Amino acid sequence: QNMLEELLIHKPDDPIQFMIDHLKQNNDDAPRICVLGPPASGKTTVAMWLCKHLDAVRISPETLLFKEVLARTKEAKAYKERKEKIPNALWANLIQERLSNVDCIKQGWILEGFPENQEQAWMLQSSGIFPSHVVMLYAPDTVLIERNSGKRLDPITEEVYHTTFDWPDDLCIQQRLVKPDLSEEEMSKKLLEYHRNFPEVFQIYQKVLKSINADQPAVDVLSQVRTYVQTRHRSAAPFTPRILFCGPPGSGKSLQAALIAQKYGVVNVCCGQLLKEAIADKTKLGELVKPYVDSGYPVPDNLVMKILADRLNTLDCMTNGWVLHGFPRDVEQGEQLQKSQMIPN
């Protein structure tokens, strides 16, 4: 699915070579995660923790401006020095250039605080940058404003601490911590801007996004984030369900099969019912089966398999999928089902 997406985005002149190169990279499982949220919601803490656990590359506004030497870093810094807003297109260009580096391709990336608005999200998408997971942190504004006042930064490690909740034990670290230069008024403005842009970004990423409450102990936040980023999204590739219910008599196989068939539109196939229908319809196979059923003897496996194969190979079963119960009842029948290529998935 990832390869198909890449083909559609890049439309290469030589698609075969493009697919070979894609498979050689062997990086479809590399993390591609965005950590978003309002100021002081803990984005940096979450992003740094994920990088340590997933061995991915962390990318944030600070790393792009002050740690990287990219083609347009100077231009972006000039905007920052003039205290002007850096254009969305310039941010997108810096991100695209950074993510095209080998370390990001191989190890994966954690994008912290990007995208901030709808235009940035669209620009990333048009560059072929799609996160596999988006973590959206949230907390009441009053909590975030209070957190911001106690927030302290370690200029060497870039880790974030708090005077109340997370004060370091090491005296050396305590002495070098600095207070971010974000006043309460500026914080309120940033929160207002965030709330204005948030619904549009949420809409774009809703299929891969999970909102996590940041107003709880850090351990709980990180645990929920880790659980989410390790989930695999259901593939959008075509899928034909072939479901098999096994269990002892009275365990509810036929009820569960009926519910599954009703909910997902698959064909409900009961082996016992098939034999009765074959007898009632007076088919050739039905006439062979009738004496066994009438006398209460088990029907030979080869006859059952023929009737079952005829049903599972009909158009509705092939198109919509099936849910089977009442067969196989033993190892030999199971092996016959495998050999017939009607393998449950």
Side-chain angles (χ1 to χ4, degrees), residues 267-309:
V267 181
N268 186 355
V269 181
C270 171
C271 197
Q273 191 66 32
L274 279 184
L275 298 178
K276 288 175 188 174
E277 285 172 9
I279 294 166
D281 295 342
K282 295 181 179 175
T283 62
K284 284 183 182 178
L285 286 170
E287 287 172 10
L288 292 170
V289 165
K290 192 174 188 299
Y292 292 98
V293 174
D294 289 346
S295 59
Y297 285 107
V299 180
D301 290 351
N302 61 332
L303 289 177
V304 178
M305 270 309 305
K306 281 179 182 173
I307 292 171
L308 187 59

Side-chain angles (χ1 to χ4, degrees), residues 28-45:
D28 284 343
D29 291 327
R32 301 190 308 279
I33 301 165
C34 285
V35 179
L36 308 177
S41 58
K43 298 188 293 294
T44 302
T45 303

Side-chain angles (χ1 to χ4, degrees), residues 106-150:
K106 285 288 180 191
Q107 294 170 240
W109 43 266
I110 314 289
L111 198 50
E112 178 201 319
F114 280 101
E116 294 181 322
N117 53 51
Q118 187 184 56
E119 190 183 2
Q120 282 183 8
W122 282 343
M123 285 177 172
L124 293 183
Q125 286 188 339
S126 64
S127 306
I129 298 165
F130 292 89
S132 57
H133 296 82
V134 176
V135 173
M136 185 75 81
L137 301 171
Y138 70 89
D141 285 2
T142 48
V143 170
L144 296 169
I145 289 167
E146 190 278 326
R147 267 194 191 182
N148 183 62
S149 64

Side-chain angles (χ1 to χ4, degrees), residues 190-257:
K190 285 201 163 198
L191 282 170
L192 196 66
E193 188 180 0
Y194 173 81
H195 291 309
R196 196 162 47 238
N197 293 322
F198 161 74
E200 293 169 338
V201 176
F202 186 96
Q203 197 69 30
I204 290 169
Y205 292 121
Q206 58 181 328
K207 287 186 180 176
V208 294
L209 181 144
K210 184 172 177 65
S211 296
I212 292 174
N213 182 8
D215 187 19
Q216 55 181 326
V219 177
D220 295 334
V221 175
L222 297 173
S223 170
Q224 289 172 39
V225 168
R226 187 176 190 176
T227 302
Y228 174 61
V229 301
Q230 288 178 336
T231 58
R232 292 181 76 90
H233 299 299
R234 186 174 169 182
S235 170
F239 174 75
T240 307
R242 300 188 298 275
I243 305 158
L244 177 63
F245 270 106
C246 299
S251 59
K253 299 185 293 293
S254 39
L255 173 62
Q256 293 302 325

